[in-house]
Amino acid sequence: MAAITYRDALNQALREEMQRDESVFLMGEDIGVWGGSFVVTQGLYKEFGERRVRDTPISEDGFVGAGIGAALAGLRPVVEIMTINFSLLATDQIVNSAAKMRYMFGGNAKVPIVIRMPGGGGHQLGAQHSQSLEVWYANIPGLIVVAPAVPADAKGLLKAAIRDDNPVIFIENEGLYTTKGDVPEEEYLTPLGKADVKRVGRDVSIVTHSRMVLLALQAADELAKEGIEAEVVDLRSLRPLDVATISASVHKTNHAVVLEEGWGSYGITAEVAATIYEVAFDYLDAPLVRISGVEVPMPYNLKMEKACIPNLEQVVTGAKKTLGKAA
Amino acid sequence: MAAITYRDALNQALREEMQRDESVFLMGEDIGVWGGSFVVTQGLYKEFGERRVRDTPISEDGFVGAGIGAALAGLRPVVEIMTINFSLLATDQIVNSAAKMRYMFGGNAKVPIVIRMPGGGGHQLGAQHSQSLEVWYANIPGLIVVAPAVPADAKGLLKAAIRDDNPVIFIENEGLYTTKGDVPEEEYLTPLGKADVKRVGRDVSIVTHSRMVLLALQAADELAKEGIEAEVVDLRSLRPLDVATISASVHKTNHAVVLEEGWGSYGITAEVAATIYEVAFDYLDAPLVRISGVEVPMPYNLKMEKACIPNLEQVVTGAKKTLGKAA
Amino acid sequence: MALQTKSADSALQQHSRDELLALHRTMLLNRRFEEKVGEMYTRSKIGGFLHLNIGEEGAFVGAIRALQPGDYVFSTYREHGHAITQGVEPRRVMAELFGRVDGTSKGRGGSMHLFDAQKRFMGGYAIVAGSIALAVGVSLACVYRGTDEIVMSLFGDGATNNGTFHESMNLAKVWNLPVVFVCVNNQYGMGTAVDRASAVSEMYRKAAGYDIPAERVDGMDVIATLDAARKAADFVRQEKTPYFLEALTYRYRGHSMADPQNYRTKEEIEEWRHRDAIESFRKRLRDAALASEQDFAEHEAEVERVVQEAVDFADASREPDPATELLDNAYVGDIPVSWR
Amino acid sequence: MALQTKSADSALQQHSRDELLALHRTMLLNRRFEEKVGEMYTRSKIGGFLHLNIGEEGAFVGAIRALQPGDYVFSTYREHGHAITQGVEPRRVMAELFGRVDGTSKGRGGSMHLFDAQKRFMGGYAIVAGSIALAVGVSLACVYRGTDEIVMSLFGDGATNNGTFHESMNLAKVWNLPVVFVCVNNQYGMGTAVDRASAVSEMYRKAAGYDIPAERVDGMDVIATLDAARKAADFVRQEKTPYFLEALTYRYRGHSMADPQNYRTKEEIEEWRHRDAIESFRKRLRDAALASEQDFAEHEAEVERVVQEAVDFADASREPDPATELLDNAYVGDIPVSWR
Ligand SMILES: Cc1ncc(C[n+]2csc(CCOP(=O)(O)OP(=O)(O)O)c2C)c(N)n1
Ligand SMILES: Cc1ncc(C[n+]2csc(CCOP(=O)(O)OP(=O)(O)O)c2C)c(N)n1
Ligand SMILES: [Mg+2]
Ligand SMILES: [Mg+2]
């Protein structure tokens, strides 16, 4: 196992699948000559050429629609939307076309597309460039939505997504690209729809996804110092949601903290919280604690932005609160 | 009090506000000459002329953006998007412009726009024309989202929305336009952000919004026959959510059913359920029951479509279930 | 663009009699099919929105008949005739409108969502302009695979005011994709006349900003439309670059079954009915002595059989069963539809 | 479009010396301001994305100086100079970049979101093409109120491939709105050269599909740009209908501070630097004996003072306080931000 960055793990997944399957190709803004604004596709344009690594105009609606059409015709496009904020220009194609076609055409159509997009804040990019909107897509039947937190899952889930015959929304996070983690040398796939316990613990379950998994692990370290053993459940997949894994964890710990970087109201944590109460009502010793981003457009000022994103202290305090231990 | 249709109540609200305030004007597809595809704006084009009742091209992104610009300049546009399904073409302007501008410009801008759109299914319009996507907008800070269920609220909330200085997403339902209800003769406003108990009961709270309020009231009648007194809480406002009213009801009944027409996963009921557990954890005698639309693209066939939308039996059974009474 | 009625009908002469008769038969089939569909709707055999294309037969039959086997067609919610002309069985279309399992989409799609991959009818879509981008994507796949197939994307005049149309035009040109964009200009988007919604009255002029060759043709003249569409298809196939064809036509019926019809005059409708694509074509065939009332009568009889057979077939087909089939095809594979 | 260098510089002669000097001063101010901003960024006084417009001064100064008091300007994320040219105080711009409460957006917006309603600078926006529709809306308000004001919408070449641009152009023309669309064509959208993303190389040609009068001007020639923009503004104000102006220019720096610069050659950059808008303008002023090195030196000194004062002002301004101000202006009135 070699420790590589999240970015390189994605790059490996793309390269391997493109080498394996001629029908896999990439589309997106500045993914070719430039190498991707977050450098995820670097080197692929050189290796595979324009035909399979296609730079697009700034036409999110158009090229996402074109990707869906290409998938309908049997190709396996991996479309990069530079950030999830710009995916708002393509929601019609994602929701009204990709998510609908198979069912509304009576099963006679298939749309094996992967649409990659990073979300998240923390880089002072301001209100229009710092959103976490994955909950929107997680709400839509017909879509599969995954959000890996570590390089190994990023690679395994992307390869699995590319091979899956359903439209997959692949959520990355701008704060994760340079993070490192071990990635198996040999070929592997990470199953879509399965959560992963990133740290085992018996006292409290911290259930979260994407970049917040790293914060949860940090918090678990802190809590351990005080003798509290937190279990960190990485959802990995938002649609479908792996209720079994979440349930098993909370049945064991009897306490839960649900955490997300984005806005909590009608957010990912709303569904996860409701689900936990539903499947563990008689197991919860106390109300769970919901932690999410402050519900304002993201401010530019560094201190203000920091104050909007969940931090270590909040998670530690939240865990103690549900455990009835005053911080 | 005269009983009028939901459609006429909206029409009255628009007419009254346009007469009251010269800066109020309407934009939308076929709202003028045609009178609105759901006939909500009928007669207004004749009365106020092209300047104030503006037919638009099929450019949702463009004319919603133009409406936001006009609001920024101090006018009070009421923009109709023919159905919520087409609002997917305008999500960028709604979320990245309207919802952001005030905060990201440090409070130096104001966007007093109302964006009306009906959602819902039940008319065999198929997968691309039968969605209930209000939860998307309810998730966005900077927006106010309301969804009246009865004519009186439709009129009062629309008038209040037009006078409010924030961007308001006004959710209607295609199944409500011809429903009737009493509407006060005199001028009145319905406050944004306040839920309304549509029926008082002591045994179980059915918390829902828009068209499902009518189903909940039907269910309450049914339950009454069996001696079960259901309280029906009409959310009316989805953002902000009136937690106090929901909480008071559940604290009283100790049982809850949350209901929505749309998809429940990451839906309105997810937030409402999580909120109820949060504020009434020690009051709930049993897990609440979540009822929502079947999570598939809406099928065209009548029977199939019916099976996708919550029905009377489900709500009645759900209420009994949380009350521990086998159906 | 004026209608050719001079005795020596050179345009007509360049086509085989079989082709001419086939054009007539196809237009007539679509006309009678739609009339029957309208009837079935009033008899509640069909639900939802229904958009008839009666009056537009010259435009879409002329355009689609120019394609070759293997070519793809993308359409809108006004697509019954587009599907049938592309070869989809009328009975499977009717069954879909009836919401039955033998319909092209197994009763899940309905009037706006016909689909038949075998016939390369890639679907009817209900979001205005949405399918144009999908068509561009399929043409990209054709180029990617190096096939000779091309794609025809049909849409209305109103769709050209939508950004999706413009982004798609640009992509097709920048990437040199084999797409024939066909704007069926029936002069209204619901109740909005072209000039009230579009900066230019001639839709083909919108291609100028993309350097895409374009032309307008009289959509009430099926021969002129067919010839223009052939020229377009050949060009696109050879040059591997898009072409834009505007067919000027008219819809006789309302936008859908619910239409106040307060946005146009009876006179205007009458005026266009006088230029009816089928009637005028019959006259030309007669004048050129290429077909007789006898032939037309045979076509009528034949078409009526097909339409009636379609109704019978649809009636005989069963409805999908909510109890057992509601979740079918929600996903490929065993992805759970919901976890509650 | 070739640069005028003949001794009798007729274009120059038509302007007062004061105006010419003002043009020089404004371009220079923007150049020095941006250079300082770049420096402050590397010194971490500024965070987030930073898009400098060094090289484009001739284009945007020429365009915006053509406006009259009361006219509105909408811009993008590359807008510092657009704001300053429209009259926004440099120090308030710098304070915004520093994230301070005396910034145009109280430190909430940052480099991409400057805003000053008093100066009718209606904002910098970070969604490509997004602000074009907003500009159309403000021009609609001008017409609605019957004022004489017009709106200028500035955007890049890449933005013209986005549907929002096209829908906005159509709306402006169909509704006859007073908008001057100004495409600052710096020949790249990030690393994508115009021809790799756009079907046509000349952006002004995209106006043809909307019957909007359009022209391309040399954006490195501030006088030519100013004259063309004046013509456009006058036309729009009188005719109450849009105009499209393309200013061909070049950005010397990277798209943002993180740019591989692997998509263009050093030679190309050098070539355009040789056509620098400020240098070439100085030469013309000297040749026409309208200004001397002395004047330029005075401008340099003056501009340096302003820029330094801006930095001092920004440094002195406080940061917003998360503890007490985080929720300010989330809504107008007392709408709760969250209920948990
Ligand atoms: C994006 C979107 N906006 C609005 C509608 C509602 N609508 C359905 S058809 C139609 C008119 C379309 O006109 P045109 O493109 O000319 O096609 P036609 O109906 O005339 O064949 C409208 C506005 C829609 N389906 N999709
Ligand atoms: C809708 C959208 N897509 C992508 C981006 C990322 N992005 C920011 S600037 C830019 C290039 C824009 O090029 P152009 O319009 O020519 O303006 P320039 O940067 O050259 O001034 C891109 C792709 C964005 N901000 N918005
Ligand atoms: Mg039309
Ligand atoms: Mg550019």
Side-chain angles (χ1 to χ4, degrees):
Chain A
M1 299 256 277
I4 62 171
T5 62
Y6 189 94
R7 165 184 289 143
D8 291 340
L10 292 168
N11 185 274
Q12 283 184 10
L14 293 171
R15 173 178 283 103
E16 290 174 17
E17 292 306 298
M18 288 177 80
Q19 286 167 341
R20 187 187 59 81
D21 182 349
E22 161 79 16
S23 67
V24 176
F25 74 101
L26 316 183
M27 279 196 333
E29 292 161 14
D30 287 295
I31 63 168
V33 174
W34 179 296
S37 53
F38 294 102
V39 205
V40 170
T41 52
Q42 196 164 40
L44 300 179
Y45 182 81
K46 266 212 189 60
E47 180 174 348
F48 297 98
E50 284 205 280
R51 172 166 169 269
R52 298 186 65 191
V53 182
R54 190 173 289 268
D55 280 320
T56 67
I58 306 168
S59 313
E60 283 79 7
D61 179 57
F63 70 74
V64 168
I68 295 165
L72 179 66
L75 297 182
R76 293 187 170 278
V78 181
V79 177
E80 173 178 304
I81 296 181
M82 200 177 283
T83 82
I84 197 168
N85 306 282
F86 316 143
S87 77
L88 295 188
L89 286 153
T91 47
D92 171 62
Q93 289 296 345
I94 294 171
V95 174
N96 285 330
S97 297
K100 303 285 186 287
M101 287 159 73
R102 179 166 185 79
Y103 191 93
M104 88 181 180
F105 291 145
N108 297 317
K110 226 167 59 171
V111 184
I113 188 173
V114 177
I115 305 177
R116 296 177 41 236
M117 54 183 92
H123 298 86
Q124 284 194 269
L125 302 187
Q128 295 184 322
H129 274 54
S130 306
Q131 300 172 96
S132 300
L133 299 166
E134 50 267 37
V135 69
W136 281 29
Y137 300 116
N139 173 242
I140 304 298
L143 299 178
I144 290 176
V145 183
V146 296
V150 299
D153 291 339
K155 181 174 181 179
L157 282 172
L158 183 50
K159 286 167 67 86
I162 291 171
R163 297 186 195 191
D164 192 86
D165 279 336
N166 297 290
V168 179
I169 305 301
F170 194 91
I171 305 291
E172 301 167 12
N173 187 297
E174 294 172 31
L176 286 175
Y177 288 123
T178 58
T179 58
K180 289 190 159 196
D182 288 339
V183 171
E185 312 279 345
E186 68 282 4
E187 155 115 357
Y188 70 98
L189 300 176
T190 304
L192 306 174
K194 295 271 164 276
D196 183 50
V197 175
K198 286 282 189 292
R199 173 180 176 133
V200 177
R202 62 155 189 267
D203 300 327
V204 56
S205 303
I206 306 177
V207 185
T208 186
H209 72 284
S210 193
R211 185 159 73 105
M212 288 295 113
V213 169
L214 305 193
L215 183 65
L217 289 168
Q218 263 185 293
D221 289 339
E222 285 304 308
L223 291 162
K225 294 177 188 160
E226 308 182 36
I228 299 170
E229 288 185 24
E231 177 151 297
V232 176
V233 179
D234 175 0
L235 295 171
R236 286 203 305 206
S237 175
L238 303 175
R239 187 174 196 96
L241 188 64
D242 180 0
V243 178
T245 302
I246 299 168
S247 174
S249 178
V250 178
H251 283 201
K252 177 178 69 177
T253 63
N254 310 115
H255 297 88
V257 171
V258 294
L259 168 68
E260 75 185 297
E261 178 175 346
W263 301 308
S265 300
Y266 303 99
I268 298 293
T269 48
E271 175 60 38
V272 175
T275 298
I276 289 174
Y277 280 119
E278 216 161 333
V279 299
F281 188 71
D282 301 325
Y283 291 81
L284 279 179
D285 294 343
L288 56 74
V289 169
R290 281 170 77 178
I291 301 172
S292 53
V294 173
E295 300 191 12
V296 294
M298 190 65 80
Y300 160 74
N301 171 276
L302 183 60
K303 291 185 187 130
M304 296 280 277
E305 181 181 41
K306 276 211 167 73
C308 286
I309 301 171
N311 59 42
L312 184 58
E313 195 204 333
Q314 274 175 288
V315 182
V316 170
T317 314
K320 290 182 184 171
K321 181 174 172 224
T322 188
L323 286 165
K325 308 197 164 136
Chain B
M1 298 257 276
I4 63 172
T5 62
Y6 189 93
R7 164 184 291 145
D8 291 340
L10 292 168
N11 185 274
Q12 284 183 10
L14 293 171
R15 174 178 282 104
E16 289 175 16
E17 292 306 300
M18 288 176 81
Q19 286 167 341
R20 187 188 58 81
D21 181 351
E22 161 79 16
S23 66
V24 176
F25 74 101
L26 316 182
M27 281 203 303
E29 292 161 13
D30 287 295
I31 64 168
V33 174
W34 179 296
S37 53
F38 294 102
V39 206
V40 170
T41 51
Q42 197 163 40
L44 301 179
Y45 181 81
K46 267 212 188 60
E47 180 174 348
F48 297 97
E50 283 205 280
R51 172 167 169 267
R52 298 186 65 191
V53 182
R54 188 173 289 268
D55 280 321
T56 67
I58 306 167
S59 312
E60 283 78 7
D61 179 57
F63 70 73
V64 168
I68 295 165
L72 178 66
L75 297 182
R76 293 188 171 276
V78 181
V79 177
E80 173 178 304
I81 296 181
M82 200 177 283
T83 82
I84 197 169
N85 307 281
F86 316 143
S87 77
L88 295 187
L89 285 153
T91 47
D92 171 61
Q93 289 295 346
I94 295 171
V95 174
N96 285 329
S97 297
K100 302 286 186 286
M101 287 159 74
R102 179 166 186 78
Y103 191 94
M104 87 181 180
F105 291 145
N108 297 318
K110 227 167 58 171
V111 184
I113 188 174
V114 177
I115 305 177
R116 295 177 41 237
M117 54 183 92
H123 298 86
Q124 285 195 269
L125 302 187
Q128 295 184 322
H129 273 55
S130 306
Q131 299 172 97
S132 300
L133 299 166
E134 50 266 38
V135 69
W136 281 30
Y137 300 116
N139 173 242
I140 304 298
L143 299 179
I144 290 175
V145 183
V146 297
V150 300
D153 291 339
K155 181 174 180 180
L157 282 172
L158 183 50
K159 286 167 66 86
I162 291 171
R163 298 186 194 190
D164 193 85
D165 279 336
N166 296 290
V168 179
I169 305 301
F170 194 91
I171 305 291
E172 301 167 12
N173 187 297
E174 295 173 30
L176 286 175
Y177 288 123
T178 58
T179 58
K180 289 190 157 194
D182 288 339
V183 172
E185 313 279 344
E186 69 282 4
E187 156 114 358
Y188 69 99
L189 301 176
T190 305
L192 306 173
K194 295 272 165 276
D196 183 50
V197 175
K198 285 282 189 291
R199 174 180 176 133
V200 177
R202 62 155 190 270
D203 299 328
V204 55
S205 304
I206 306 177
V207 186
T208 186
H209 72 284
S210 193
R211 185 158 73 104
M212 288 295 112
V213 170
L214 305 192
L215 183 65
L217 289 168
Q218 263 185 292
D221 289 339
E222 285 304 308
L223 291 162
K225 294 177 187 159
E226 308 181 36
I228 299 171
E229 287 185 23
E231 177 151 298
V232 177
V233 179
D234 175 0
L235 294 171
R236 287 202 305 205
S237 175
L238 303 175
R239 187 176 196 94
L241 188 64
D242 180 359
V243 178
T245 302
I246 299 168
S247 174
S249 178
V250 179
H251 282 202
K252 177 178 69 177
T253 63
N254 309 116
H255 298 88
V257 172
V258 294
L259 167 68
E260 75 185 297
E261 178 175 345
W263 301 309
S265 300
Y266 303 99
I268 297 294
T269 47
E271 175 61 37
V272 175
T275 299
I276 290 174
Y277 280 119
E278 215 161 334
V279 299
F281 188 71
D282 300 325
Y283 292 81
L284 278 179
D285 293 345
L288 55 74
V289 168
R290 280 170 78 178
I291 301 171
S292 54
V294 173
E295 300 192 10
V296 294
M298 190 65 80
Y300 160 74
N301 172 275
L302 183 60
K303 290 182 187 137
M304 297 279 278
E305 182 181 41
K306 276 211 167 72
C308 286
I309 301 171
N311 59 42
L312 184 59
E313 194 203 333
Q314 274 176 288
V315 182
V316 170
T317 314
K320 290 182 183 171
K321 182 173 173 226
T322 188
L323 286 164
K325 308 198 165 131
Chain C
M1 265 187 34
L3 217 105
Q4 309 199 28
T5 45
K6 56 182 158 32
S7 56
D9 193 334
S10 54
L12 207 63
Q13 309 301 347
Q14 283 147 32
H15 299 266
S16 75
R17 179 164 185 276
D18 286 357
E19 177 166 66
L20 295 170
L21 291 182
L23 285 172
H24 176 267
R25 194 185 295 102
T26 309
M27 286 197 292
L28 191 66
L29 170 59
N30 285 315
R31 173 72 55 94
R32 299 294 175 245
F33 186 87
E34 289 289 77
E35 287 166 350
K36 177 65 73 177
V37 165
E39 180 194 327
M40 291 295 131
Y41 187 85
T42 55
R43 287 178 41 199
S44 306
K45 290 274 189 182
I46 300 171
F49 282 153
L50 183 66
H51 310 86
L52 302 177
N53 54 37
I54 295 175
E56 303 177 1
E57 297 87 353
F60 68 80
V61 169
I64 295 171
R65 296 276 306 189
L67 295 175
Q68 290 175 17
D71 292 344
Y72 299 85
V73 169
F74 276 87
S75 184
T76 67
Y77 44 84
R78 198 180 299 285
E79 88 281 31
H80 310 157
H82 303 182
I84 290 171
T85 305
Q86 173 70 355
V88 180
E89 290 179 83
R91 58 187 205 162
R92 297 192 59 228
V93 173
M94 191 66 80
E96 188 58 37
L97 304 190
F98 279 31
R100 309 303 173 90
V101 295
D102 295 303
T104 64
S105 307
K106 304 206 176 99
R108 273 56 162 197
S111 166
M112 304 197 287
H113 303 305
L114 301 172
F115 185 85
D116 188 339
Q118 282 68 30
K119 295 293 195 296
R120 301 241 154 147
F121 180 76
M122 304 311 285
Y125 298 83
I127 303 298
V128 168
S131 63
I132 305 174
L134 303 177
V136 165
V138 170
S139 70
L140 175 60
C142 295
V143 170
Y144 191 92
R145 296 199 175 106
T147 70
D148 238 0
E149 300 146 358
I150 68 173
V151 179
M152 179 175 285
S153 173
L154 296 108
F155 49 85
D157 45 285
T160 66
N161 300 319
N162 189 281
T164 306
F165 161 76
H166 290 279
E167 293 188 359
S168 301
M169 292 278 282
N170 186 58
L171 289 175
K173 179 66 179 191
V174 146
W175 292 343
N176 288 307
L177 302 177
V179 189
V180 179
F181 295 99
V182 176
C183 179
V184 179
N185 180 357
N186 60 12
Q187 307 176 56
Y188 292 89
M190 281 188 70
T192 305
V194 163
D195 288 335
R196 298 187 62 231
S198 173
V200 294
S201 314
E202 305 81 15
M203 301 300 102
Y204 78 92
R205 291 187 50 202
K206 303 192 185 198
Y210 307 98
D211 258 342
I212 294 178
E215 106 182 77
R216 174 188 260 195
V217 64
D218 177 4
M220 304 307 272
D221 179 345
V222 68
I223 292 290
T225 307
L226 174 67
D227 293 347
R230 280 231 169 96
K231 196 181 85 192
D234 295 347
F235 172 83
V236 162
R237 206 182 304 276
Q238 278 148 32
E239 308 297 324
K240 292 267 179 286
T241 186
Y243 190 98
F244 184 97
L245 181 65
E246 172 186 5
L248 187 66
T249 182
Y250 200 80
R251 91 173 129 66
Y252 299 164
R253 300 287 187 96
H255 165 72
S256 68
M257 301 304 273
D259 183 330
Q261 294 277 14
N262 59 352
Y263 51 85
R264 58 182 187 179
T265 63
K266 293 215 167 10
E267 293 64 37
E268 181 182 290
I269 300 174
E270 271 322 299
E271 189 186 300
W272 281 90
R273 279 181 178 281
H274 282 305
R275 308 192 35 212
D276 186 71
I278 297 175
E279 285 311 316
S280 58
F281 187 52
R282 286 186 173 189
K283 182 172 189 316
R284 289 170 70 180
L285 289 172
R286 276 192 307 262
D287 292 353
L290 283 160
S292 64
E293 290 308 328
Q294 166 85 28
D295 299 305
F296 302 149
E298 277 168 22
H299 284 186
E300 286 283 7
E302 180 186 340
V303 160
E304 183 174 341
R305 269 197 309 280
V306 175
V307 171
Q308 190 51 53
E309 195 272 337
V311 171
D312 298 340
F313 176 83
D315 261 327
S317 177
R318 73 169 177 88
E319 293 191 59
D321 176 6
T324 61
E325 301 175 310
L326 194 58
L327 306 186
D328 291 358
N329 301 311
Y331 288 96
V332 184
D334 57 3
I335 311 291
V337 162
S338 166
W339 40 91
R340 299 199 323 280
Chain D
M1 266 187 35
L3 220 109
Q4 309 200 28
T5 45
K6 58 182 158 32
S7 55
D9 193 333
S10 53
L12 207 63
Q13 310 300 348
Q14 283 145 33
H15 299 266
S16 75
R17 179 163 186 275
D18 286 357
E19 176 167 66
L20 294 171
L21 290 182
L23 285 171
H24 175 267
R25 193 184 297 102
T26 308
M27 288 197 292
L28 192 66
L29 170 60
N30 285 314
R31 173 74 54 94
R32 299 294 175 246
F33 185 88
E34 289 288 77
E35 286 166 350
K36 178 65 72 176
V37 164
E39 180 195 326
M40 291 295 128
Y41 188 85
T42 55
R43 287 177 43 198
S44 304
K45 289 274 188 181
I46 300 170
F49 282 153
L50 183 66
H51 311 86
L52 302 177
N53 54 36
I54 294 176
E56 303 177 2
E57 297 87 353
F60 67 81
V61 169
I64 295 170
R65 295 278 305 190
L67 295 176
Q68 290 174 17
D71 292 343
Y72 299 86
V73 168
F74 276 87
S75 184
T76 66
Y77 44 85
R78 198 181 298 286
E79 90 279 33
H80 309 158
H82 302 183
I84 290 171
T85 305
Q86 174 70 356
V88 180
E89 290 179 82
R91 59 188 205 162
R92 297 191 59 226
V93 173
M94 190 67 80
E96 188 57 38
L97 303 189
F98 279 32
R100 308 303 173 90
V101 295
D102 295 302
T104 63
S105 307
K106 305 207 177 99
R108 274 52 164 201
S111 166
M112 305 197 287
H113 303 305
L114 301 172
F115 184 85
D116 188 339
Q118 282 68 30
K119 295 293 195 296
R120 301 243 154 146
F121 180 76
M122 304 311 286
Y125 298 83
I127 303 298
V128 168
S131 62
I132 305 173
L134 303 177
V136 166
V138 170
S139 71
L140 175 61
C142 295
V143 170
Y144 191 90
R145 296 199 174 108
T147 70
D148 238 0
E149 300 146 358
I150 68 173
V151 180
M152 180 175 284
S153 173
L154 296 109
F155 48 86
D157 44 284
T160 65
N161 300 318
N162 189 281
T164 306
F165 161 76
H166 290 279
E167 293 188 359
S168 301
M169 291 278 283
N170 185 59
L171 289 175
K173 178 65 179 190
V174 136
W175 291 343
N176 287 308
L177 303 177
V179 189
V180 180
F181 294 99
V182 177
C183 179
V184 179
N185 180 356
N186 60 13
Q187 305 177 56
Y188 292 90
M190 282 188 69
T192 305
V194 163
D195 288 335
R196 297 187 62 233
S198 173
V200 294
S201 313
E202 306 80 16
M203 301 302 101
Y204 78 93
R205 291 187 50 203
K206 302 192 185 198
Y210 306 97
D211 258 345
I212 295 178
E215 105 181 79
R216 174 188 258 195
V217 64
D218 177 4
M220 304 307 271
D221 179 345
V222 69
I223 291 290
T225 306
L226 175 67
D227 293 346
R230 281 232 169 95
K231 197 181 86 192
D234 294 347
F235 172 83
V236 161
R237 206 181 303 277
Q238 279 147 32
E239 309 297 324
K240 293 267 178 288
T241 185
Y243 190 99
F244 184 97
L245 181 64
E246 172 187 5
L248 187 67
T249 181
Y250 200 80
R251 87 172 133 68
Y252 300 164
R253 300 286 187 95
H255 165 72
S256 68
M257 300 305 273
D259 183 330
Q261 293 278 15
N262 59 353
Y263 51 85
R264 58 181 188 179
T265 63
K266 292 215 167 11
E267 294 64 37
E268 181 182 292
I269 300 174
E270 271 322 298
E271 189 186 300
W272 280 90
R273 279 181 179 280
H274 282 306
R275 307 193 34 210
D276 186 70
I278 298 175
E279 285 311 316
S280 58
F281 187 52
R282 286 186 173 189
K283 182 172 188 317
R284 289 170 69 180
L285 289 172
R286 277 192 308 263
D287 292 352
L290 283 160
S292 64
E293 289 308 329
Q294 165 86 28
D295 300 304
F296 302 149
E298 277 167 23
H299 283 186
E300 286 282 6
E302 179 186 341
V303 159
E304 183 173 341
R305 269 196 308 280
V306 174
V307 171
Q308 189 50 53
E309 195 271 338
V311 172
D312 299 340
F313 177 84
D315 260 328
S317 177
R318 74 170 176 87
E319 292 192 59
D321 176 5
T324 61
E325 300 175 310
L326 194 58
L327 306 186
D328 291 359
N329 301 311
Y331 287 96
V332 183
D334 57 1
I335 311 290
V337 163
S338 166
W339 40 91
R340 297 200 323 282

